Amino acid sequence: MSKVTIKTVAEHAGVSTATVSRALSGTGLVSPELRLAVTKAAEKLGYSGNTVARALRSSRTNAVGMVVPEIANPFMTDLVQEVEQSLHLHGIQLLLCNSRQDPSRERAALTSLIGRRVDGLIICPVDATSSFAGVEAAVQSLPVVQVDQRIEGLNADWVGVDDETAMRLIVEHLSSQGVTSAAFAGSKENDSSSKARLDAFLRHAGALGISVAKDNIFLDRYSVDCGRESMERLIRSGSLPNALVCAADIIAIGALQTCHAQKITVPDDLLITGFDDIEFANLCTPRLTTVRQPLKAIANHAVDILRSVHAEDDHAAVRLALAPTLVIRESSSARTHESAS
Amino acid sequence: MSKVTIKTVAEHAGVSTATVSRALSGTGLVSPELRLAVTKAAEKLGYSGNTVARALRSSRTNAVGMVVPEIANPFMTDLVQEVEQSLHLHGIQLLLCNSRQDPSRERAALTSLIGRRVDGLIICPVDATSSFAGVEAAVQSLPVVQVDQRIEGLNADWVGVDDETAMRLIVEHLSSQGVTSAAFAGSKENDSSSKARLDAFLRHAGALGISVAKDNIFLDRYSVDCGRESMERLIRSGSLPNALVCAADIIAIGALQTCHAQKITVPDDLLITGFDDIEFANLCTPRLTTVRQPLKAIANHAVDILRSVHAEDDHAAVRLALAPTLVIRESSSARTHESAS
DNA sequence: TTGTATGCGTTATCAC
DNA sequence: GTGATAACGCATACAA
């Protein structure tokens, strides 16, 4: 039982609690001999410190909260992992909450984390509109940075991928493969990243003379099922476009699965592209052409912003769109077909 | 800025801080009218409560820590997700740490979480031997339950899958498919689950007359690469066994990929089975035969144990091995080959 | 039923 | 340099 406090240590070392605190925290001046005595006593007693008391007194917890809408998408867990790693480098603990696509749960998570007095908040908002109030409230009491998803009209920092560039890379690549018609599968419209991707997709497709039928734009969720259903509807419609562009790898993987089941050959009958470059994009058959998100950079920047924003009240919100990388694999390119990993 | 405390609320409601505390926490008797006055004042002031202070005073944080060796394996994230959900039902917050397969990081995480005064700890130990000291120390200061991996010789609760039954199901299935020789790919030996799976595999294979060449037992890590390399070595050896049994889906998926690249047809040339039933086991080509872990049950039991063990010092350690489910798909069975999802 | 007063373990502000 | 001592915000034993 860790019933040993600085008071215990102080008694054993023959000094005051103040000196113990100074010696152990490194702050403040302490003579070398006393510092040694304190250190030894602490070691001997197995003193470990009470983070809760420290937090109450100093109002710093060395913890940041993260709220994500979905932990089932590998992209999200990869991002969480990078954030965790980045925080770890600064000795900061991650408190993870899952909002499960539910704005009310999201709000509860924010409240809970703020009550725990985390030093900052990293959030991937569930919904561009219904998340507004909760996140706005959070912004007023501590540093908050949005990742991936963002809420329009909210004065809060955001770090994510450059969807515009990403879609340009994809569309240009498809065009170079001879694609003249394409479909799109993504998340619902009030999902900021899917919306940005769709907009950019349509713009670049138009510029390069790629036709996109209105009925061939499928908006549902970032899920495997969404990909399956989109592909099924495409097949049922009778005529396939040259390509299906997906706003997430898991959507593309669902589409691939339906193609396989329905004997549609990718990329011969149809090209398919994803988004994110999750690990399985490189493991499915055929391997998936996609754009890689700079996850480590996103995580690092998010953490840096959090650490730099010491509640400087109204600094202009930062919007950091980081460059993605096009990763060409077999699902969109005959040239690399069957090439080794 | 949340500078409003129970003192503020007390002044506005014209009562003492004690009454505010009682009214808001629900504990202790408060007259209806005062309760209402307090509630209204709290509402009006936007009082949110300070979890840190509450924790220091009551020495309960309503948070439990979880330390996992790897967040990249979908199996782990699925487990984390279930635990998060189960805790949420009890209003408990999850503090997640990633030990990254490093015993020293694991130990640091434990120390940090204990310092934060979490109410309990859920841990998937990195290593059956080098994790011992750290986990043992943790067990002495708060309730700890191990999940998935376990440390032998440690008097700590554990919840996981019944590896013995799982391997019996797999081997019996393979035997029924006419398999008479098999290989095994798993994690290193001081990984308790892989070890249990290997032992059970060898025992049941022996009982059913399935031969296993010593050179065909590959022990590395729970990773896609491990599967790739195992399969490559199998191919290089010149003669393939009838089946490759993997101790994790991601290993099997790596093996499948190598098969695909090297023009080895599964299940015609070789049957492959996985373990865990991660989502992608049902998305790869061919779809993977595997055993499904009862993740929700594992998570629920782990949380229940944590909540019931109120530091009753030396209760005998619980070992809860929950039943898995065999999931037969195309990678091991011609019968279901090409059947729809 | 309500208020007063104390302490949880630490850090920070004073004096010395 | 070092030591008392006062907060930090809340919960509770005790008194009223």
Side-chain angles (χ1 to χ4, degrees):
Chain A
M1 206 49 87
S2 181
K3 200 57 189 168
V4 41
T5 74
I6 57 169
K7 195 172 171 188
T8 327
V9 177
E11 287 163 0
H12 277 253
V15 298
S16 71
T17 59
T19 301
V20 174
S21 174
R22 283 189 285 249
L24 260 33
S25 67
T27 175
L29 287 314
V30 181
S31 70
E33 47 269 33
L34 277 192
R35 179 182 304 275
L36 182 66
V38 168
T39 312
K40 284 184 68 172
E43 181 81 24
K44 183 179 164 195
L45 294 167
Y47 171 76
S48 56
N50 186 325
T51 312
V52 174
R54 189 146 35 219
L56 176 60
R57 178 61 234 226
S58 63
S59 70
R60 292 207 68 252
T61 52
N62 280 314
V64 325
M66 181 167 186
V67 184
V68 300
E70 182 74 72
I71 208 177
N73 186 339
F75 162 71
M76 261 307 150
T77 59
D78 286 351
L79 181 56
V80 168
Q81 178 166 229
E82 292 295 349
V83 167
E84 199 259 4
Q85 168 68 2
S86 184
L87 289 173
H88 178 77
L89 262 34
H90 298 290
I92 301 173
Q93 168 95 36
L94 173 68
L95 276 63
L96 182 68
C97 289
N98 186 355
S99 60
R100 302 186 163 237
Q101 307 281 5
D102 177 351
S104 71
R105 275 192 73 145
E106 180 177 69
R107 180 143 205 182
L110 290 173
T111 306
S112 161
L113 290 169
I114 294 172
R116 297 204 124 76
R117 296 296 189 272
V118 291
D119 297 333
L121 231 30
I122 296 179
I123 180 169
C124 177
V126 167
D127 185 286
T129 58
S130 48
S131 289
F132 194 101
V135 177
E136 189 183 37
V139 167
Q140 265 142 19
S141 62
L142 79 175
V144 174
V145 48
Q146 304 173 94
V147 289
D148 191 45
Q149 300 294 324
R150 113 181 97 194
I151 298 174
E152 291 304 334
L154 184 69
N155 189 50
D157 298 333
W158 171 83
V159 186
V161 70
D162 183 346
D163 291 312
E164 164 68 25
T165 300
M167 273 301 149
R168 182 174 57 72
L169 292 172
I170 286 179
V171 174
E172 285 178 355
H173 165 66
L174 290 178
S175 180
S176 79
Q177 298 297 110
V179 166
T180 60
S181 62
F184 182 90
S187 183
K188 59 196 178 336
E189 280 258 18
N190 58 350
D191 173 310
S192 66
S193 73
S194 183
K195 184 177 190 313
R197 286 165 204 178
L198 174 57
D199 289 351
F201 165 71
L202 291 174
R203 194 172 332 113
H204 290 294
L208 292 173
I210 294 177
S211 69
V212 181
K214 279 218 174 63
D215 286 348
N216 284 354
I217 296 175
F218 308 102
L219 298 179
D220 184 12
R221 304 175 47 231
Y222 283 139
S223 70
V224 175
D225 278 342
C226 167
R228 275 198 270 251
E229 285 162 22
S230 300
M231 196 63 224
E232 281 163 14
R233 285 168 60 183
L234 220 43
I235 293 169
R236 261 188 270 120
S237 80
S239 76
L240 290 181
N242 297 153
L244 171 63
V245 173
C246 302
D249 285 347
I250 54 172
I251 295 177
I253 286 168
L256 279 180
Q257 204 192 23
T258 294
C259 288
H260 180 71
Q262 311 255 4
K263 309 289 189 202
I264 289 176
T265 308
V266 179
D268 297 347
D269 299 334
L270 173 87
L271 308 194
I272 292 184
T273 63
F275 201 113
D276 294 341
D277 195 30
I278 61 176
E279 184 178 26
F280 282 131
N282 194 31
L283 295 174
C284 53
T285 313
R287 300 189 309 159
L288 190 63
T289 289
T290 187
V291 282
R292 178 176 305 151
Q293 291 218 33
L295 287 186
K296 194 178 285 289
I298 291 175
N300 287 340
H301 277 106
V303 171
D304 286 348
I305 291 175
L306 227 43
R307 284 161 36 83
S308 66
V309 179
H310 286 306
E312 302 156 11
D313 287 4
D314 38 78
H315 73 126
V318 174
R319 272 184 177 11
L320 212 49
L322 302 173
T325 317
L326 181 65
V327 182
I328 299 175
R329 301 203 183 93
E330 292 88 35
S331 75
S332 75
S333 166
R335 284 179 301 138
T336 63
H337 199 41
E338 296 299 336
S339 75
S341 151
Chain B
M1 207 47 88
S2 180
K3 198 57 187 170
V4 42
T5 73
I6 56 169
K7 194 173 172 187
T8 328
V9 177
E11 288 163 359
H12 278 253
V15 296
S16 73
T17 59
T19 300
V20 174
S21 174
R22 283 189 283 249
L24 261 33
S25 68
T27 174
L29 287 314
V30 181
S31 69
E33 47 270 32
L34 279 192
R35 181 184 301 276
L36 182 66
V38 169
T39 312
K40 283 184 70 173
E43 182 79 22
K44 182 178 162 194
L45 294 168
Y47 171 75
S48 56
N50 186 325
T51 311
V52 175
R54 191 147 32 220
L56 177 58
R57 176 60 230 235
S58 64
S59 68
R60 294 208 67 251
T61 52
N62 281 314
V64 323
M66 182 167 185
V67 184
V68 299
E70 181 75 72
I71 208 177
N73 185 340
F75 162 73
M76 262 306 152
T77 60
D78 287 349
L79 181 56
V80 168
Q81 178 166 228
E82 292 296 349
V83 167
E84 201 259 2
Q85 168 68 1
S86 184
L87 289 173
H88 178 77
L89 263 32
H90 298 290
I92 302 173
Q93 169 96 35
L94 173 68
L95 277 63
L96 182 68
C97 289
N98 186 355
S99 59
R100 303 188 164 235
Q101 307 281 6
D102 177 352
S104 72
R105 276 192 72 144
E106 180 177 70
R107 180 144 206 178
L110 291 173
T111 306
S112 162
L113 290 170
I114 293 172
R116 287 188 190 289
R117 296 297 188 270
V118 290
D119 297 332
L121 232 29
I122 296 179
I123 179 168
C124 177
V126 167
D127 186 285
T129 57
S130 47
S131 290
F132 193 100
V135 178
E136 188 183 37
V139 167
Q140 265 141 21
S141 62
L142 79 175
V144 175
V145 47
Q146 305 174 93
V147 289
D148 190 46
Q149 299 294 324
R150 112 183 97 194
I151 298 175
E152 292 303 334
L154 185 68
N155 189 50
D157 299 332
W158 171 84
V159 186
V161 70
D162 183 346
D163 290 312
E164 164 68 24
T165 300
M167 273 303 149
R168 183 175 56 72
L169 293 172
I170 287 178
V171 174
E172 285 178 354
H173 165 66
L174 290 177
S175 181
S176 78
Q177 299 297 110
V179 165
T180 59
S181 62
F184 182 92
S187 180
K188 58 195 178 338
E189 281 257 18
N190 57 351
D191 173 310
S192 66
S193 73
S194 183
K195 184 176 188 313
R197 288 165 203 177
L198 174 57
D199 289 351
F201 165 72
L202 291 175
R203 195 173 332 111
H204 290 292
L208 292 173
I210 295 176
S211 70
V212 182
K214 280 221 174 60
D215 286 349
N216 285 354
I217 296 174
F218 308 102
L219 299 177
D220 184 11
R221 303 175 47 230
Y222 283 140
S223 70
V224 175
D225 278 342
C226 167
R228 276 198 270 252
E229 284 162 22
S230 300
M231 195 64 223
E232 280 162 15
R233 284 167 61 183
L234 221 42
I235 293 169
R236 260 187 270 119
S237 78
S239 77
L240 290 181
N242 297 152
L244 171 62
V245 172
C246 302
D249 285 347
I250 54 172
I251 295 177
I253 286 166
L256 279 179
Q257 204 192 24
T258 295
C259 287
H260 180 73
Q262 310 254 8
K263 309 287 189 203
I264 289 176
T265 307
V266 179
D268 297 347
D269 299 334
L270 173 86
L271 308 194
I272 293 185
T273 63
F275 201 113
D276 294 341
D277 195 29
I278 61 175
E279 183 178 25
F280 205 72
N282 194 31
L283 296 173
C284 53
T285 312
R287 299 188 310 157
L288 190 63
T289 290
T290 187
V291 282
R292 178 176 306 150
Q293 290 218 33
L295 286 186
K296 193 177 286 290
I298 292 174
N300 286 340
H301 277 106
V303 171
D304 286 348
I305 291 174
L306 227 42
R307 284 162 35 85
S308 67
V309 179
H310 286 306
E312 303 156 10
D313 288 3
D314 39 79
H315 73 127
V318 175
R319 273 182 174 15
L320 212 49
L322 301 173
T325 317
L326 181 64
V327 181
I328 300 175
R329 301 202 184 94
E330 293 87 36
S331 75
S332 75
S333 165
R335 285 179 301 138
T336 63
H337 199 41
E338 296 299 337
S339 74
S341 148

